[in-house]
Amino acid sequence: MKKITISDLNNWKELGEKFASITAYDASFAKIFEEQSMPVIIVGDSLGSVIQAKPTTLDVSIEELVYHTKCVRAGSPNAFIISDLPFMSYHTPEAACGSAAKLMKAGANMVKIEGGSWLINTVKMLTERAVPVCAHLGLMPQAVNNKVQGKTEEQATRMLENAKELQRAGAQALVLECIPAKLARQITLELHIPVIGIGAGNDTDGQVLVMHDILGISANYIPRFSRNFLAETGSIEAAVKKYIDEVKQKTFPGEKHCF
């Protein structure tokens, strides 16, 4: 697989070509994913749940994200890696810069932060310092009391405006998690940056799933927006390939995986 850049993601959006992404936390799985031509890997603070079996992601530290980012980059030299900034590692723009520097030095191509308009100055400061930013709206795991967002007209309007504000501030990608598919489609159409969905319908530019969910090995449960591809195929490689292909063909996610 050739080295993937943000230009590739932008070109795919412009051409209407859907792309898959997946979480990873170590070199072995990252290598498998790259061998199946997975273009985007997210090193998520979801490791708190699926690796550490903790009830939330709040305990995950920047040091742990740095360690796992290094592992994933070692296994996947060519994928576009987005690494999460964990809870309270970006509470000020200055803190965000310090945390982001650690992740970029560990091998990340982009950092991801959860939140809306309160992050405008942070996004500006990061992008001015050559740190690509992926914003994250909708259900935000670091806000543990959040539920599915964007259900009301007021919420939908606010989320669309937040997305536009983050884009204007310099965000180069956006993750939408657990929002109505109709709203995700509108946001995707109105933004010029790539939009990656999880539980947000199949009209976003890309999709992301937690690797443990598509392999049916999550410690707790498989969310309704995911699917056990391993059970359908019999091998990890085939499961990953099927997931990538179905996203490209826009057959996953289906209606039952949406809100």
Side-chain angles (χ1 to χ4, degrees):
M1 185 174 75
K2 77 176 189 69
K3 189 174 289 294
I4 305 298
T5 68
I6 188 63
S7 294
D8 292 306
L9 275 61
N10 288 329
N11 289 338
W12 294 334
K13 179 182 179 76
E14 186 175 346
L15 294 171
E17 296 180 4
K18 306 297 183 181
F19 63 90
S21 60
I22 195 169
T23 65
Y25 316 94
D26 64 41
S28 296
F29 276 105
K31 183 174 184 291
I32 291 173
F33 298 155
E34 176 151 325
E35 288 172 346
Q36 298 306 312
S37 298
M38 181 70 72
V40 180
I41 295 177
I42 297 181
V43 185
D45 59 5
S46 49
L47 69 90
S49 301
V50 297
I51 300 294
Q52 300 170 342
K54 293 180 178 177
T56 71
T57 64
L58 301 187
D59 288 338
V60 177
S61 68
I62 186 65
E63 289 76 21
E64 289 170 327
L65 261 299
V66 167
Y67 169 79
H68 287 281
T69 297
K70 287 181 178 178
C71 292
V72 170
R73 178 52 80 196
S76 179
N78 296 308
F80 188 81
I81 294 180
I82 303 172
S83 293
D84 280 356
L85 284 175
F87 179 67
M88 290 304 288
S89 69
Y90 54 98
H91 54 290
T92 66
E94 292 76 17
C97 285
S99 299
K102 295 176 181 178
L103 291 177
M104 298 295 285
K105 290 177 181 178
N109 298 110
M110 177 177 276
V111 299
K112 182 164 73 66
I113 51 179
E114 297 180 7
S117 57
W118 70 272
L119 285 172
I120 297 301
N121 289 335
T122 297
V123 173
K124 286 181 178 179
M125 182 175 281
L126 287 169
T127 54
E128 286 169 356
R129 286 154 180 79
V131 177
V133 175
C134 177
H136 184 140
L137 294 173
L139 191 150
M140 294 177 282
Q142 291 174 20
V144 294
N145 294 317
N146 265 0
K147 303 297 182 183
V148 175
Q149 297 294 300
K151 285 186 172 182
T152 68
E153 185 175 347
E154 180 182 356
Q155 289 177 341
T157 300
R158 187 186 315 121
M159 192 178 301
L160 176 59
E161 185 53 40
N162 279 339
K164 291 180 177 179
E165 288 175 343
L166 290 163
Q167 177 179 260
R168 286 194 293 267
Q172 291 180 268
L174 173 67
V175 167
L176 294 175
E177 181 169 358
C178 294
I179 71 169
K182 182 179 179 181
L183 174 58
R185 181 176 188 275
Q186 181 183 8
I187 293 173
T188 302
L189 289 173
E190 296 200 24
L191 296 189
H192 65 256
I193 60 176
V195 177
I196 301 171
I198 177 168
N202 64 5
D203 287 313
T204 53
D205 303 302
Q207 299 290 330
V208 62
L209 289 177
V210 173
M211 56 164 280
H212 291 66
D213 291 341
I214 79 161
L215 301 179
I217 55 175
S218 294
N220 298 314
Y221 76 102
I222 297 177
R224 61 173 284 186
F225 54 74
S226 192
R227 194 169 116 204
N228 185 344
F229 284 86
L230 180 59
E232 302 173 17
T233 56
S235 78
I236 294 173
E237 292 82 0
V240 174
K241 179 74 163 52
K242 184 175 177 64
Y243 165 54
I244 293 171
D245 289 345
E246 290 204 17
V247 170
K248 286 182 177 180
Q249 296 161 8
K250 206 177 174 182
T251 55
F252 179 85
E255 287 187 15
K256 67 179 181 180
H257 305 111
C258 303
F259 294 95

